[in-house]
Amino acid sequence: MIKRVKVAVVGVGNNTSALVQGLALYRDSGSLVGIRRPVIDGLGVGDIDIVAAFATSAEKIGRDLTEAIFLPPNNFPRLDCDLPSAGVPVTKGLVDASEVPRVAAALAGAEVLLYSAPSGRPETARAYAEAAHTAGAAFINTTADPVARDPRLLDRFEAAGLPLIGDDLASQFGTSVLHNALLRLLAERGLTLVTSYQVNLGGTEDFRNLVENPNTKAQSKLNALSAADKVQVAPLGYLSQLKSQKVAHLNLEAQGWGGTAVSLDVKLTVHDPSGAAGVNIDLIRLAASALRTGQGGYRAEAASLLKSPPGTAI
């Protein structure tokens, strides 16, 4: 019988809401709608248990996880599933590196620590990575902050036999994935790219935070794109009325046979947290499998799920 993966999460926002609700939905229904890989190394989508959660919001601390995920400013919709109490109270997250031992102690029993807090806080991200290292857990960085791209930290995780996977997840079907596919298609069909751009608008707190702390995210988006020297990524825009939806606009200008013009405009609308959960479910299982087989450091199998794996720009 497969041993279920015990996961701790940092951040009780929309992405965690989508993950927690999705785990309950797929476990109960057996549906495979929206699932990229039903089984990874023997681990199914329902073989995941959230055993700890960390947040800094005073309103969420102390609440059961299944209650906290619906508190404002979270705005991901409720999925059609039964969601009984998780029995996992939300724990106060760390404020600075001095609290690493406390967090590491709270991780006892967790195999994987999923860092799903807002981007733009690199010191906090690295402190949680240190807590995972101390606790002997794999660490997944879903944010644009450089953690797996830190060679010294990556070497330490590898030496300890602990997976370190990051940085910045590539949404299941998001702007970067679609944009890169279109850029590759142009090249494969022999067209010459002239210019391209993308604009992203969203209504989650992640978007609000990224508007205020855009630097690492902008570079990470460029890391995910081929022909990045001809691509411009506009600053992210926050519109509260979009709630958990993201609206993206893509433009590509190219030249075909004889230098004739080709122009393509695409609009994409998705629930951003769903795109994150659809990737996190695979990253968690890859990390757990690597931990159980003693494969430390970065796992190359995760490359297609990330925008900024080790070796890309910071």
Side-chain angles (χ1 to χ4, degrees), residues 21-38:
Q21 292 190 72
L23 289 173
L25 174 67
Y26 288 111
R27 188 177 295 133
D28 292 344
S29 69
S31 170
L32 295 179
V33 172
I35 299 297
R36 179 171 178 261
R37 297 177 65 179

Side-chain angles (χ1 to χ4, degrees), residues 55-161:
T56 56
S57 169
E59 291 75 16
K60 295 175 182 177
I61 294 170
R63 301 285 190 101
D64 188 85
L65 178 61
T66 54
E67 178 185 4
I69 58 175
F70 296 113
L71 295 177
N74 289 12
N75 52 24
F76 183 72
R78 289 179 179 261
L79 300 182
D80 185 16
C81 63
D82 292 328
L83 200 63
S85 173
V88 177
V90 176
T91 300
K92 181 180 179 181
L94 61 78
V95 177
D96 56 54
S98 67
E99 295 184 289
V100 165
R102 173 179 66 82
V103 172
L107 290 175
E111 294 178 273
V112 177
L113 178 57
L114 177 71
Y115 184 75
S116 190
S119 292
R121 304 170 185 174
E123 295 82 6
T124 302
R126 285 193 286 269
Y128 273 108
E130 289 290 351
H133 186 276
T134 300
F139 187 76
I140 300 170
N141 177 32
T142 71
T143 77
D145 297 324
V147 177
R149 283 171 289 169
D150 181 335
R152 290 173 296 181
L153 191 58
L154 188 60
D155 287 346
R156 289 176 55 214
F157 268 78
E158 185 170 6

Side-chain angles (χ1 to χ4, degrees), residues 178-187 193 196 225-227 231 252:
L178 178 58
H179 201 168
N180 212 26
L182 292 172
L183 291 170
R184 289 197 307 268
L185 181 61
L186 286 181
L193 180 69
S196 184
L225 299 172
S226 59
V231 177
L252 295 91

Side-chain angles (χ1 to χ4, degrees), residues 110-112 136-138 160-163 286-296 299:
E111 294 178 273
V112 177
L162 301 173
L286 286 172
S289 177
L291 180 74
R292 292 175 178 184
T293 54
Q295 302 177 71
R299 305 314 308 156

Side-chain angles (χ1 to χ4, degrees), residues 158-276:
E158 185 170 6
L162 301 173
L164 175 60
I165 298 177
D167 299 313
D168 200 8
L169 62 82
S171 185
Q172 188 175 18
F173 195 78
T175 317
S176 297
V177 170
L178 178 58
H179 201 168
N180 212 26
L182 292 172
L183 291 170
R184 289 197 307 268
L185 181 61
L186 286 181
E188 289 169 4
R189 304 305 295 176
L191 279 75
T192 300
L193 180 69
V194 178
T195 61
S196 184
Y197 67 79
Q198 63 169 261
V199 178
N200 294 274
L201 305 171
T204 66
E205 284 300 291
D206 287 339
F207 260 85
R208 184 202 291 271
N209 174 70
L210 288 168
V211 168
E212 299 171 356
N213 301 283
N215 293 338
T216 55
K217 190 66 175 182
Q219 181 59 60
S220 187
K221 278 187 166 291
L222 289 173
N223 288 345
L225 299 172
S226 59
D229 58 321
K230 295 184 179 180
V231 177
Q232 186 172 6
V233 177
L236 298 172
Y238 171 73
L239 297 173
S240 60
Q241 60 265 43
L242 290 177
K243 297 185 179 179
S244 71
Q245 290 191 89
K246 176 172 71 176
V247 177
H249 297 274
L250 302 174
N251 169 266
L252 295 91
E253 302 292 334
Q255 292 179 324
W257 177 266
T260 55
V262 176
S263 182
L264 177 65
D265 287 285
V266 178
K267 177 184 176 182
L268 171 69
T269 302
V270 294
H271 278 279
D272 214 30
S274 291

